[in-house]
Amino acid sequence: MELKVIGTGSTGNAYVLENEKEALLIECGVRFSEIKKALNFNIRKVAGCLVSHSHGDHAKSISDVLKVGIDVYASTDTFTNTNTGIIHRTHFIFPKTTYKIGGFTVMPFDVKHDVPCLGFLISHVDCGKVLFITDTYYCKYTFPGLNNIIVEANYSKEIIMQKMGPESGKEFLKNRIIQSHFSIENCKDLLKANDLSSVNNIVLIHLSDGNSNEKNFQSEVFELTGKNVSVASNGMSIPFNKTPF
């Protein structure tokens, strides 16, 4: 299995889990032409698309994805607020319910954002159990038996306080970020709360351009976990198997 990062961050998010036979698209917040290119234009290979929430940087191309015949799995709120309409390829999904999408098994769970938002626990024989969490300030769950983790590390509390303190005039923006995104501190707390003994990869996604430090974040998570830690960047491909072998 391979993880392809089509886009990550506030300009657009889209990721693909892919082996030789099938693919799962996670988010579609970039131009659909970029998604097609990442898939080598093999649309038939895509078993489905998961969308965490309705914001454009995660759901921009939802209508285009549906139009080419890819089934989309998202919450009622996401379909409603992207004006998608109900067609036979829209699948309304609910937290803590299991869905079979090709060779992938997916269990959504609720996370805390400023609109209804889902995280995903994804299982496949090739990549094992994959945790995907983005656009949240808190996750109340722990996840046994993880093999790979894709998790938001949007900002550093220290950096954001320096840049958006009381004298900056940016208190509203600071509060919005804190109440809607995962800091590196939140990310590390989540990792500490889970059993990482079988984890192969940890991929940090959705870093803020101005309120994060890529090298420090990668170093901090490696020091905490001792795992293979990557900071996602557009166009990156990462071997994403159940084991390193």
Side-chain angles (χ1 to χ4, degrees):
M1 189 70 71
E2 185 176 43
L3 172 68
K4 289 184 178 177
V5 180
I6 305 172
T8 187
S10 58
T11 58
N13 296 269
Y15 312 87
V16 177
L17 282 173
E18 180 180 37
N19 63 15
E20 292 181 0
K21 296 181 180 179
E22 62 183 341
L24 180 69
L25 179 61
I26 310 171
E27 312 284 46
C28 54
V30 299
R31 293 192 306 271
F32 188 59
S33 58
E34 296 176 46
I35 294 172
K36 288 192 293 185
K37 185 177 179 181
L39 294 166
N40 295 317
F41 301 93
N42 187 1
I43 302 300
R44 292 184 179 182
K45 188 178 187 180
V46 183
C49 172
L50 305 174
V51 181
S52 63
H53 64 290
S54 60
H55 287 160
D57 60 329
H58 295 262
K60 178 179 181 177
S61 295
I62 193 168
S63 294
D64 293 324
V65 171
L66 287 163
K67 284 176 185 175
V68 299
I70 297 173
D71 288 26
V72 175
Y73 298 78
S75 68
T76 303
D77 180 86
T78 295
F79 286 124
T80 299
N81 286 296
T82 53
N83 299 311
T84 302
I86 301 173
I87 63 174
H88 72 288
R89 294 197 179 276
T90 56
H91 298 266
F92 295 84
I93 59 175
F94 301 92
K96 293 183 279 188
T97 302
T98 300
Y99 301 88
K100 188 71 173 174
I101 306 173
F104 298 88
T105 301
V106 178
M107 188 188 74
F109 53 92
D110 55 297
V111 295
K112 303 295 184 182
H113 192 40
D114 52 8
V115 298
C117 186
L118 297 171
F120 302 108
L121 184 63
I122 303 163
S123 299
H124 189 281
V125 65
D126 286 354
C127 58
K129 284 188 179 180
V130 178
L131 177 64
F132 179 89
I133 295 182
T134 190
D135 287 56
T136 184
Y137 61 88
Y138 177 67
C139 177
K140 62 184 176 182
Y141 303 108
T142 56
F143 307 89
L146 294 175
N147 301 109
N148 291 287
I149 297 172
I150 306 167
V151 59
E152 180 179 53
N154 184 262
Y155 67 95
S156 158
K157 290 179 181 178
E158 181 180 354
I159 293 173
I160 205 170
M161 289 305 297
Q162 288 175 351
K163 290 190 172 184
M164 300 183 185
E167 306 301 322
S168 68
K170 298 180 179 179
E171 286 282 290
F172 176 81
L173 177 58
K174 180 194 74 175
N175 290 336
R176 185 200 174 272
I177 293 170
I178 289 173
Q179 294 169 13
S180 60
H181 287 283
F182 231 31
S183 67
I184 183 62
E185 293 85 2
N186 294 138
C187 174
K188 289 164 65 177
D189 285 344
L190 174 82
L191 295 171
K192 285 188 284 187
N194 283 275
D195 178 6
L196 306 182
S197 58
S198 297
V199 168
N200 185 23
N201 292 288
I202 299 171
V203 182
L204 307 181
I205 62 170
H206 211 312
L207 273 68
S208 164
D209 288 338
N211 299 312
S212 66
N213 185 310
E214 178 179 327
K215 289 183 179 179
N216 285 357
F217 285 15
Q218 185 176 27
S219 175
E220 286 180 38
V221 175
F222 174 74
E223 288 176 10
L224 175 68
T225 66
K227 302 297 180 178
N228 181 36
V229 181
S230 303
V231 176
S233 60
N234 295 0
M236 173 186 284
S237 293
I238 304 169
F240 225 60
N241 296 315
K242 184 174 181 178
T243 69
F245 311 106

